[in-house]
């Protein structure tokens, strides 16, 4: 396993396991299986609804001697309803308890979309709706500036609850603004990245600023078929340049696309619930794409964003909440 380096010299495994859409009943066993197969980077979030099960798997793996806590890179994310300074610590403490760890290696602001607070006893995870039982359920936006949230995130570092903090789904403009007041600079930006959405300017900006980048949904449309946010014909794995590279290197098209992601200097967090795919998704370091192959795959860019709150917010949650132009 190779790593990417943060500004302070800390190394993060280049390939992690993303737990978005992993069924609760599979999450604990999948965590143990992934760790046994060499994964050390586990990407979680309150909103995924399975942190308690992942925590069970982490505890079992450590008890079974598969790893030590210090061997793991555990990420979680602050959900939209907890952006207020009064709620950030409550949120991270709940994730720490569910994940059965004393600290997080990385804690990210999940979306730049502050929503009205929903108490744990009302609903956890709270999801996007303020009141799902309302006649016309909607998101209820909250007037919480990123600066307030970020200062509360910095306090988590000061208190040793998290080692690094960062953001997810932020644009260059939001990153620039954040860095004008950040006492602790963001260590990581996590965004959607794949050959149909290369985000070259954003990635280059972060690399210049020594902010590491993790790409979610690194296989593109495959993450979205099951939830109706992508069409079958949109799979990048069917592209001739990807298939040709796979044939040349004796790899699968998925491995070529994932290799493209790590070779451009980003970390990636593909999701799978299948044990054989776990091994396939980290078997990326015994071959290298040529510059021509890298460029040909990058040329597939369509600026095609599958995970866009400006689209799914209105379609699924009756609220128009664009964060990208």
């Amino acid at each position: 396993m190779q790593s990417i380096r943060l500004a302070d010299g800390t190394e993060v495994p280049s390939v992690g396991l993303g737990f978005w859409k992993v069924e609760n009943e599979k999450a604990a066993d999948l965590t143990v299986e992934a760790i046994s197969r060499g994964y050390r980077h586990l990407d979680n979030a309150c909103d995924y609804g399975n942190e308690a099960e992942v925590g069970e798997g982490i505890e079992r793996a450590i008890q079974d001697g598969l790893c030590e806590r210090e061997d793991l890179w555990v990420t979680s994310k602050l959900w939209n309803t907890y952006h207020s300074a009064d709620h950030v610590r409550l949120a991270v403490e709940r994730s720490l308890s569910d994940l059965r760890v004393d600290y997080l290696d990385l804690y990210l602001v999940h979306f730049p979309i502050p929503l009205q607070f929903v108490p744990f006893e009302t609903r956890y995870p709270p999801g996007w709706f303020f009141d799902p039982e309302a006649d016309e359920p909607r998101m209820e936006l909250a007037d919480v500036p990123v600066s307030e949230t970020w200062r509360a995130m910095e306090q988590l570092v000061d208190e040793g609850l998290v080692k690094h903090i960062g953001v997810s789904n932020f644009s260059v403009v939001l990153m620039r603004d954040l860095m004008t007041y950040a006492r602790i600079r963001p260590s990581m930006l996590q965004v959607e990245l794949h050959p149909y959405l290369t985000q070259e300017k954003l990635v280059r900006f972060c690399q210049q600023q020594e902010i590491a980048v993790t790409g979610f949904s690194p296989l593109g449309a495959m993450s979205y078929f099951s939830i109706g946010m992508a069409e079958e014909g949109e799979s990048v794995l069917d592209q001739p340049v990807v298939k040709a590279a796979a044939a040349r290197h004796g790899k699968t098209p998925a491995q070529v696309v994932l290799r493209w992601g790590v070779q451009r200097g980003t970390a990636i967090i593909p999701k799978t619930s299948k044990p054989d795919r776990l091994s396939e998704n980290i078997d990326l370091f015994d071959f290298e794409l040529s510059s021509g192959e890298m460029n040909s795959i990058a040329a597939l860019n369509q600026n095609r964003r599958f995970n866009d709150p400006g689209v799914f917010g209105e379609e699924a949650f009756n609220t128009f909440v664009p964060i990208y132009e």
Side-chain angles (χ1 to χ4, degrees), residues 220-231:
M222 292 186 67
S223 298
Y224 300 93
F225 292 150
S226 64
I227 53 177
M229 293 169 65
E231 302 295 332

Side-chain angles (χ1 to χ4, degrees), residues 80 129 166 201 204 273 309:
N80 303 338
F129 285 133
K201 292 179 181 178
R204 180 180 174 186
S273 297

Side-chain angles (χ1 to χ4, degrees), residues 5 19 59 75 96 101-102 130 159 189 194 202 231 234 238 242 251 266 292 316 321:
R5 188 181 297 268
F19 282 90
E59 185 173 78
T75 296
L96 288 169
V101 294
D102 296 327
F130 180 71
E159 296 176 9
L189 169 67
H194 46 75
L202 178 59
E231 302 295 332
E234 294 186 279
D238 295 330
V242 172
K251 295 290 183 177
T266 65
V321 283

Side-chain angles (χ1 to χ4, degrees), residues 8 59 113 133 135 179 204 226 232 249 281 301 317:
D8 67 355
E59 185 173 78
I113 305 175
E133 303 304 317
D135 291 339
M179 289 188 292
R204 180 180 174 186
S226 64
E232 291 289 338
H249 294 282
N281 288 350
N301 180 54
F317 304 110

Side-chain angles (χ1 to χ4, degrees), residues 8 13 30-31 74 113 116 125 131 160 212 214 221 228 255 272 276 278 293:
D8 67 355
L30 183 69
T31 302
V74 181
I113 305 175
Q116 294 291 340
D131 180 7
T214 295
Q255 287 174 313
T272 185
D276 57 333
L278 286 172
E293 289 169 330

Side-chain angles (χ1 to χ4, degrees), residues 56 60 63 74 92 94 108 125 157 174 196 269 278 310 313:
E56 177 190 338
R60 281 167 45 193
Q63 290 175 346
V74 181
V92 78
R94 176 59 185 261
L108 303 173
V157 179
L174 283 173
Y196 286 164
I269 45 171
L278 286 172

Side-chain angles (χ1 to χ4, degrees), residues 130-267:
F130 180 71
D131 180 7
E133 303 304 317
D135 291 339
E136 296 183 7
R138 295 176 52 83
M139 301 182 206
E140 294 289 344
L141 300 176
D143 293 329
V144 183
V146 176
S147 58
E148 177 180 334
T149 305
W150 192 253
R151 291 187 181 106
M153 296 279 284
E154 292 173 329
Q155 189 68 26
L156 302 180
V157 179
D158 295 338
E159 296 176 9
L161 297 175
V162 306
K163 290 184 177 293
H164 301 88
I165 52 178
V167 292
S168 182
N169 299 296
F170 272 46
S171 65
V172 169
V173 172
L174 283 173
M175 296 292 290
R176 283 188 177 279
D177 182 65
L178 171 58
M179 289 188 292
T180 64
Y181 55 77
R183 174 171 58 86
I184 300 176
R185 288 165 58 91
S187 295
M188 180 78 74
L189 169 67
Q190 185 178 124
V191 289
E192 181 181 347
L193 288 178
H194 46 75
Y196 286 164
L197 184 68
T198 59
Q199 304 216 63
E200 299 286 349
K201 292 179 181 178
L202 178 59
V203 172
R204 180 180 174 186
F205 170 78
C206 287
Q207 290 172 341
Q208 287 181 338
Q209 296 294 322
E210 295 187 295
I211 299 169
V213 177
T214 295
F216 70 75
S217 302
L219 294 173
M222 292 186 67
S223 298
Y224 300 93
F225 292 150
S226 64
I227 53 177
M229 293 169 65
E231 302 295 332
E232 291 289 338
E234 294 186 279
S235 176
V236 71
L237 305 187
D238 295 330
Q239 287 286 346
V241 294
V242 172
K243 289 183 173 181
R248 280 192 293 271
H249 294 282
K251 295 290 183 177
T252 67
Q255 287 174 313
V256 166
V257 172
L258 296 176
R259 175 68 202 186
W260 174 86
V262 298
Q263 198 166 313
R264 69 195 300 233
T266 65

